[in-house]
Amino acid sequence: MIERLEIIRKRYDELSQELLNQDIINDFSKMKKISKEHSDLEVIVKKYDELLASEKEIDGLKSMLNDPDMASYAQEELELNINKKEQLEKELEILLLPKDENDGKDIIMEIRGAAGGDEANIFAGDLFRMYSKYAEKNNWKIDVNDYVEGTSGGYAQIEFSIKGENVYSKLKFESGSHRVQRVPATETQGRIHTSTATVLVMPEADEVDFELNMEEVRVDITRSSGCGGQGVNTTDSAVRLTHIPTGIIVYSQTERSQIKNKEKAIKILKTRLYDRRLKEQAEKEGAERRNKIGTGDRSEKIRTYNYPQNRVTDHRINFSVMNLDKVMEGNLEDIIEALITEDQRLKMEES
């Protein structure tokens, strides 16, 4: 591990020098890429410096054990520093695990009502509210791109972006089919129904991730069809983009300005194409895909929300919490931490 840490320190020092290079400062793409790598390595280097300082402290305390006047104090401090050193080594082991290059990115999330008719759409609305509450707790910003309301409430489909610090790293395991078991408001005989909604999480594509050829995109301007204010509905401001090679269609109508809707739609299209590329790469790297928590496919059943028992169960890691009411208010930390911990365990096994 020490050898790897020394290589990382050398790379960190090289990047520090590159960031002072005027040619790189003037190149936005290069500057952004190098700054990101430098920032990622800085966390490891600082933790490594802590480890070295701890080892130096331990050596000094060991030399004091032979002094009768200092032996008792030195022994007590030595035990504390040995524990600290072991903790730092564990933290560094995790920091040295293979990183997901998209962990620091913002995301675009899509939720759809699936099996269960109106109740599925209502549940999709509940999930949107849950993620909105979780985003609020993390000081993230949500921006709705497009939505189709359900006839009895909720959403048949809603697509939105979440921007903030390390959004993808926290929400990347949310893709899949979410199942709810409860008595719907429309149920007159008190029977429990099972409905599903699907969630798709995509890391938002940066300029350096995906270059879109606009010659391959058909642009259509239409009148907004959903709610959004009088000004939105009376102008031809909605934008539909069709990526001709793949057939992917993106629609944006939530802004009053046609230009802003087009900008949003292009960002979403780039993200969908980038997500498509990531999935194709994952298919080729079959072994790595099998070692991940789930496949990330929309069809995979990942979680059940059982209202009668106030229980949420994540089936991929066989993890349950008995506080569904709090989870639906955005308290997802326990579930997300359990998923991240299992992901780290799998990576450590693999490495």
Side-chain angles (χ1 to χ4, degrees), residues 110-315:
E110 181 186 273
I111 304 174
R112 292 175 180 263
D118 289 341
E119 171 64 8
N121 293 341
I122 292 169
F123 179 50
D126 293 340
L127 289 177
F128 172 64
R129 181 176 179 276
M130 179 186 76
Y131 289 123
S132 298
K133 290 280 188 181
Y134 182 66
E136 185 180 337
K137 291 176 188 295
N138 284 278
N139 296 314
W140 297 337
K141 181 185 175 185
I142 282 190
D143 188 16
V144 176
N145 302 319
D146 187 28
Y147 61 93
V148 178
E149 292 180 326
T151 55
S152 298
Y155 299 98
Q157 173 190 343
I158 183 165
E159 182 179 77
F160 53 98
S161 60
I162 305 181
K163 298 181 182 296
E165 187 175 354
N166 296 321
V167 178
Y168 184 72
S169 69
K170 293 287 186 73
L171 294 177
K172 62 183 175 183
F173 301 121
E174 294 303 298
S175 287
S177 178
H178 296 238
R179 181 173 64 173
V180 64
Q181 294 174 328
R182 64 185 176 189
V183 179
T186 55
E187 171 58 51
T188 57
Q189 298 181 30
R191 291 174 298 187
I192 295 173
H193 288 224
T194 298
S195 306
T196 59
T198 60
V199 174
L200 178 63
V201 177
M202 298 172 286
E204 193 170 272
D206 294 328
E207 292 297 326
V208 294
D209 294 324
F210 195 91
E211 187 173 341
L212 181 64
N213 182 2
M214 288 303 294
E215 293 182 0
E216 298 179 339
V217 179
R218 188 175 72 242
V219 181
D220 297 305
I221 309 300
T222 65
R223 182 157 296 186
S224 300
S225 58
C227 301
Q230 189 175 0
V232 171
N233 289 314
T234 56
T235 60
D236 292 334
S237 59
V239 175
R240 182 174 63 242
L241 302 183
T242 304
H243 187 247
I244 297 167
T246 62
I248 293 175
I249 297 173
V250 166
Y251 191 66
S252 179
Q253 64 169 347
T254 55
E255 301 289 341
R256 292 176 180 268
S257 161
Q258 182 187 123
I259 294 173
K260 288 185 178 179
N261 276 326
K262 186 176 180 181
E263 288 174 354
K264 265 191 178 183
I266 288 173
K267 173 66 79 173
I268 297 166
L269 180 57
K270 282 183 177 179
T271 296
R272 287 192 177 278
L273 290 169
Y274 180 54
D275 185 62
R276 182 189 179 101
R277 180 199 291 171
L278 291 176
K279 283 184 169 59
E280 288 173 351
Q281 289 174 350
E283 290 292 347
K284 292 176 183 176
E285 300 163 3
E288 180 191 356
R289 190 174 176 83
R290 284 192 295 274
N291 284 330
K292 290 182 178 177
I293 297 176
T295 63
D297 292 335
R298 188 198 295 274
S299 60
E300 182 189 15
K301 289 185 175 65
I302 66 167
R303 196 174 296 155
T304 294
Y305 303 73
N306 186 302
Y307 274 72
Q309 298 178 18
N310 198 35
R311 185 185 73 237
V312 183
T313 299
D314 195 291
H315 305 293

